[in-house]
Amino acid sequence: IEEGGFIGLYTGFMTRRKKGIRRNGHSYIMKFDETWSVDAAEGGSMMRFVNTSCRPNAKIVRWYSGRKWHLVYVATRRIEAGERIMVDYGDVE
């Protein structure tokens, strides 16, 4: 994946909760803005399994498609085949 390349969408249900409902011992919630979060525990994409790192190779960007908002994973540098996708969950742009 080249730098700036699209990796995937973080999908789920919009909620005003700040903490996700735990399902099978896991919670997959990401803050969208000061009011909304995305709960990916049900209906979420594979992006909910991306791990956090203090040396990320990707970032999460709020992107407007013209109809609705999305959370998009974008490569911050070239990512080689087989390399894990890592983000800093504190830095949603």
Side-chain angles (χ1 to χ4, degrees):
I1 302 169
E2 295 299 323
E3 181 178 347
F6 170 82
I7 298 170
L9 294 172
Y10 190 90
T11 60
F13 297 99
M14 297 298 287
T15 179
R16 290 180 185 256
R17 291 189 316 268
K18 298 302 178 195
K19 292 187 178 183
I21 296 172
R22 294 186 75 73
R23 293 177 181 88
N24 298 324
H26 301 283
S27 175
Y28 302 100
I29 196 155
M30 185 178 302
K31 182 178 173 182
F32 184 81
D33 60 23
E34 292 305 315
T35 303
W36 294 97
S37 296
V38 179
D39 187 345
E42 290 184 14
S45 68
M46 293 299 291
M47 295 294 101
R48 71 181 181 240
F49 300 116
V50 170
N51 289 316
T52 189
S53 173
C54 58
R55 294 187 332 208
N57 57 12
K59 64 182 177 179
I60 305 163
V61 178
R62 284 184 208 93
W63 177 70
Y64 187 67
S65 68
R67 292 187 9 222
K68 62 182 180 177
W69 284 95
H70 304 274
L71 290 174
V72 177
Y73 285 72
V74 176
T76 56
R77 62 167 177 79
R78 181 179 171 81
I79 302 172
E80 301 297 329
E83 187 177 354
R84 287 183 178 205
I85 306 296
M86 306 291 280
V87 297
D88 180 345
Y89 282 114
D91 291 338
V92 176
E93 294 183 3

